[in-house]
Amino acid sequence: MNLPAAQKQVEFFFDFGSPTAYLAYTQLPKIAAAAGAQIVWRPMLLGGVFKATGNQSPVLIAAKGAWMWGDIERWARRYGVPLLKNPHFIINTLTLMRGAAGLQMRQPDLFLRYVDAMFHAMWVEPCNLGDPAAVAATLQKAGFDVAAFTALVGDPEVKAKLIALTEDAVARGVFGAPTMFVGNEMFFGQDRLDFVREALKS
């Protein structure tokens, strides 16, 4: 039985440090819109997920990492989206993901602007988002108050929120990014978006 359009949702578990999460982010809005579905954004700390599940970034395996970048570039060409390898990868995204969790909790109207800015600065015009100065410049360019952001990511409630989001992801079976859920069905990887599309139609 098909659900009414208003009830359709795709949950998107992501971390800005994942290039494949960036690719999924470029495609999910179109997929959701075509299905009359809502995206439920689920920021998480990928490093925390890796630690909890015993997983690791594929780039830490030399041969797999070398192959992966070429594959990511092929997918970017297929989607027709810009993507440049960030020379500073792997970047610690703790502050960035606290920002996502905090804005979603405190200023949800600014959340998607922040997501756009951080994915852009990570994978379109790559900069070292592990450097507070680069983060500040990115925030200023996107119209954010840097002092307010600094206070937000230092807030104990925001820190606890990101921990809770990450723990929830792990509890639901997430082991990497991007991960999508349609109902209870989990899809891992941006190369599974066709299955997400199918699930939203069912």
Side-chain angles (χ1 to χ4, degrees):
M1 179 178 177
N2 289 348
L3 291 173
Q7 291 182 273
K8 289 186 179 180
Q9 293 184 338
V10 53
E11 297 177 83
F12 179 46
F13 288 80
F14 71 97
D15 182 304
F16 298 121
S18 165
T20 50
Y22 161 74
L23 288 174
Y25 143 87
T26 68
Q27 302 305 301
L28 266 181
K30 292 179 283 189
I31 292 170
Q38 175 188 11
I39 299 173
V40 180
W41 300 82
R42 303 289 193 201
M44 64 181 186
L45 185 64
L46 188 55
V49 171
F50 284 166
K51 183 176 180 180
T53 61
N55 198 5
Q56 64 178 347
S57 171
V59 300
L60 296 177
I61 302 169
K64 189 172 185 179
W67 167 85
M68 185 191 78
W69 287 113
D71 193 59
I72 286 171
E73 289 168 358
R74 281 191 291 271
W75 280 103
R77 287 194 298 271
R78 173 167 290 183
Y79 294 146
V81 298
L83 186 150
L84 293 175
K85 181 179 179 181
N86 193 312
H88 306 286
F89 185 79
I90 298 172
I91 291 172
N92 184 331
T93 59
L94 177 60
T95 297
L96 307 182
M97 300 317 299
R98 281 179 178 166
L103 286 170
Q104 191 176 52
M105 181 169 61
R106 299 276 174 77
Q107 295 177 284
D109 56 314
L110 299 180
F111 174 75
L112 288 181
R113 192 207 310 173
Y114 175 77
V115 169
D116 291 343
M118 291 304 151
F119 269 130
H120 186 90
M122 187 72 80
W123 301 113
V124 180
E125 295 184 77
C127 61
N128 183 8
L129 291 180
D131 178 357
V135 174
T138 299
L139 290 166
Q140 287 175 332
K141 185 177 179 181
F144 287 91
D145 183 316
V146 175
F149 178 84
T150 300
L152 181 73
V153 297
D155 187 320
E157 288 186 1
V158 170
K159 293 179 180 180
K161 180 64 174 178
L162 180 60
I163 291 171
L165 288 166
T166 303
E167 289 177 343
D168 175 65
V170 171
R172 293 181 63 184
V174 173
F175 54 85
T179 298
M180 287 75 64
F181 281 88
V182 178
N184 292 322
E185 193 167 7
M186 186 176 90
F187 305 91
F188 169 70
Q190 64 82 24
D191 53 351
R192 298 299 187 272
L193 289 174
D194 280 347
F195 292 118
V196 172
R197 184 183 288 108
E198 288 177 4
L200 287 171
K201 290 179 180 178
S202 64

